[in-house]
Amino acid sequence: MNRTIAGRLALIRGARHQLKTFAKQADDLRPWWPIAIPALLFVFVRSYQDEQKKMLEERMRAIKQEKQMFDKVERQLVREISEKSGSPGRLRRLLPRRTRRT
């Protein structure tokens, strides 16, 4: 819709309406600016930081799940290898590693 002339006109009208509304609200808040500006900045900064934390947690959740799966598979693999090799005896511990594998 934004590619047509009608769509661009609607976009411009909407932007103009938003600017008028913002200007009117700013004029209404003019006597309260010394109090409103720091309070609004505090609220906006806090909500922005909360969103950043949520995004980071979402990213980390996928990485943690992948790490848990990797650890689980690794433990299972170690168990299978140790079961195949049997319990190492005293003589087996003294042999070099390449000999132990075979």
Side-chain angles (χ1 to χ4, degrees):
M1 182 170 162
N2 288 338
R3 294 182 183 175
T4 63
I5 294 174
R8 290 184 182 155
L9 287 174
L11 182 68
I12 291 170
R13 286 181 186 154
R16 187 177 67 193
H17 179 70
Q18 284 181 337
L19 286 174
K20 283 182 182 179
T21 304
F22 177 75
K24 183 181 177 212
Q25 289 173 346
D27 284 341
D28 292 344
L29 282 177
R30 188 173 301 267
W32 294 97
W33 275 8
I35 298 169
I37 289 175
L40 289 174
L41 282 175
F42 175 76
V43 169
F44 291 145
V45 167
R46 189 164 206 163
S47 64
Y48 180 76
Q49 289 173 347
D50 288 344
E51 286 296 319
Q52 278 185 327
K53 285 179 187 176
K54 286 179 188 175
M55 288 175 54
L56 183 64
E57 288 172 1
E58 287 176 7
R59 291 180 190 155
M60 292 301 293
R61 187 178 331 131
I63 293 171
K64 286 180 182 178
Q65 287 175 348
E66 188 174 333
K67 185 178 183 320
Q68 287 175 349
M69 290 289 290
F70 177 78
D71 290 342
K72 184 179 177 182
V73 168
E74 188 178 29
R75 284 192 300 270
Q76 182 65 28
L77 194 63
V78 166
R79 277 190 219 120
E80 289 175 4
I81 291 172
S82 65
E83 287 174 1
K84 285 181 183 177
S85 65
S87 61
R90 290 182 184 172
L91 180 61
R92 192 174 186 154
R93 286 188 199 139
L94 297 174
L95 293 174
R97 270 198 171 165
R98 63 177 175 264
T99 312
R100 279 190 256 165
R101 288 183 188 160
T102 57

